[in-house]
Structures are given as structure tokens and as C-alpha cells.
């Protein structure tokens, strides 16, 4: 088990689009060990997800997991998911407003518009094809992580900078209203 250092906003690695991973590379014990470290680091930092370039490795891999996360108490659970070379395609035109934070953007949250339904095509860590649909708040988490792999941060998508706030002020002034909105989204999309 190894915990990796998480790159912070301002480091160029977060702004470079990542490269795809070849199947032969994915299968190596070294790369499988890296995926284990990425998962351990996400869990240790209590993230809902973590992209490889957030730990200074510019490859198209991210991990996602939500299990009663205290950082995001209102988020529906997501089983551990490893995405290799993911491609997201929005389904329909519906969007929702998500209040996001990021392990690479310390103590800052803001409102971002996300697609409510997506098709995800990727490989899992064994190289098997993933082709599935995700909806609602969970779809927001997948978009956040895949944005990282394209060199984007959630801040780039904050359309109204007046929504930016620290975690403390979020809890004080915005969490209750947002948790109510999340419940409505979860009721509508099932996740
Ligand atoms: Zn992030």
C-alpha cells in the first residue's frame, strides 16, 4: 500500500491532456501496482475519485468510489470503478447544477453545470470493455474525473464565480440547500 502525493492547482501536470494506455502496459505488474496506489490514495484523501495526472502520472486512467463519504455526505454511493482510456458521450440535453470540490483545488467549491446522463466507454483494469450509462449526481462525478484527464479543472466550468466558496462557508451557507437539490436529482435519475 502506498499513498501518492496529490498535485495542486498551478502544477502543469494538471493542465496537460493525458495519453492513452496500451493494453500491454496495462497488464504489467508495475501498472497494476500503480492502479492500486491510485485507489489507496483516493481512499486516504477521502476523494470521490482521483485521476492519474492528479498524482503526477499523465496517463488516461481514473478511479471513482463513493461509500458513505464524509466529504460528500449527500452523494449516492458508487462501487469502486477503474476507468482506463474513458470516453464520455452525453445522452440527451438535460443538465443539472453540481456543487463541486477537488483534491487538487484546496478549500474551494463552486457550482458547475453537468450532463444528467452519459454513455461511458472505457476499459477496466483487466482490459475488459466497459460500455454503460450513468445518470444524475454519479454522472457529475464521472465528468469531473474525465475532465482531469483532458487537462481541465472544475473551476474552468464554473459559470458564475460568485458561487465559489471555501468548504467551511459551503457547510455554513450552501450545504443544506444543495443537499435538498441533490435529493431531487437522485429522485429523478436514481443516482
Ligand atoms: Zn478533481
Amino acid at each position: 500500500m502506498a499513498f501518492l502525493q496529490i498535485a495542486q492547482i498551478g502544477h502543469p501536470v494538471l493542465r496537460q491532456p493525458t495519453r492513452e494506455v496500451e493494453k500491454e502496459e496495462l497488464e504489467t505488474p508495475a501498472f497494476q501496482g500503480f492502479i492500486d496506489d491510485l485507489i489507496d490514495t483516493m481512499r486516504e484523501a477521502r476523494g470521490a475519485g482521483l485521476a492519474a495526472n492528479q498524482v503526477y502520472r499523465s496517463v488516461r486512467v481514473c478511479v471513482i468510489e463513493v461509500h458513505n463519504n464524509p466529504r460528500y455526505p449527500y452523494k449516492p454511493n458508487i462501487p469502486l470503478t477503474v476507468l482506463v482510456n474513458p470516453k464520455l458521450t452525453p445522452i440527451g440535453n438535460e443538465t443539472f447544477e453540481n456543487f463541486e470540490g477537488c483534491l487538487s483545488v484546496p478549500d474551494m467549491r463552486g457550482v458547475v453545470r453537468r450532463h444528467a446522463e452519459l454513455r461511458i466507454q472505457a476499459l477496466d483494469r483487466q482490459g475488459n470493455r466497459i460500455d454503460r450509462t450513468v445518470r444524475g449526481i454519479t454522472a457529475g462525478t464521472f465528468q469531473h474525473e474525465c475532465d482531469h484527464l483532458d487537462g481541465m479543472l472544475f473551476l474552468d466550468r464554473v459559470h458564475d464565480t460568485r458561487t465559489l466558496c471555501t468548504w467551511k462557508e459551503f457547510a455554513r451557507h450552501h450545504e443544506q440547500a444543495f443537499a435538498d437539490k441533490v435529493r431531487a436529482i437522485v429522485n429523478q435519475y436514481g443516482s
Side-chain angles (χ1 to χ4, degrees):
M1 189 178 277
F3 302 126
L4 308 170
Q5 217 190 328
I6 296 175
Q8 300 293 287
I9 182 169
H11 195 288
V13 74
L14 294 170
R15 292 312 197 167
Q16 291 152 4
T18 53
R19 70 161 173 86
E20 296 221 330
V21 181
E22 299 293 332
K23 218 168 167 184
E24 297 70 42
E25 182 184 10
L26 177 62
E27 286 166 356
T28 61
F31 204 91
Q32 290 293 316
F34 167 68
I35 292 173
D36 288 335
D37 292 346
L38 193 60
I39 293 166
D40 290 342
T41 305
M42 167 182 68
R43 288 175 173 165
E44 173 73 10
R46 298 187 184 282
L50 192 61
N53 52 337
Q54 286 184 278
V55 295
Y56 302 93
R57 191 147 173 182
S58 195
V59 290
R60 200 161 176 81
V61 176
C62 64
V63 295
I64 293 169
E65 181 182 50
V66 178
H67 183 75
N68 304 334
N69 190 321
R71 242 166 90 90
Y72 305 99
Y74 45 80
K75 261 192 203 232
N77 286 339
I78 306 174
L80 177 63
T81 307
V82 177
L83 298 177
V84 178
N85 303 337
K87 182 180 163 228
L88 301 187
T89 312
I91 299 172
N93 295 319
E94 281 191 60
T95 60
F96 68 95
E97 287 191 331
N98 204 20
F99 228 122
E100 298 193 7
C102 178
L103 294 171
S104 294
V105 182
D107 202 20
M108 187 68 78
R109 305 195 62 157
V111 173
V112 177
R113 192 156 275 286
R114 295 295 190 186
H115 295 287
E117 199 170 357
L118 301 169
R119 179 181 181 188
I120 302 171
Q121 293 163 288
L123 300 178
D124 67 15
R125 65 183 296 174
Q126 281 85 33
N128 302 308
R129 271 183 203 295
I130 296 172
D131 190 343
R132 47 181 283 226
T133 301
V134 285
R135 297 181 179 83
I137 297 294
T138 297
T141 304
F142 278 75
Q143 286 164 85
H144 179 113
E145 296 313 323
C146 289
D147 271 355
H148 275 301
L149 300 177
D150 294 330
M152 282 190 76
L153 296 172
F154 81 90
L155 291 173
D156 307 339
R157 295 196 188 273
V158 171
H159 53 279
D160 182 353
T161 50
R162 289 172 298 181
T163 65
L164 291 170
C165 59
T166 64
W167 282 69
K168 189 172 160 191
E169 299 303 343
F170 173 75
R172 226 183 243 169
H173 300 289
H174 305 286
E175 185 160 7
Q176 191 55 54
F178 182 59
D180 292 344
K181 266 193 183 175
V182 167
R183 264 189 290 279
I185 293 164
V186 171
N187 285 340
Q188 190 177 349
Y189 296 103
S191 53

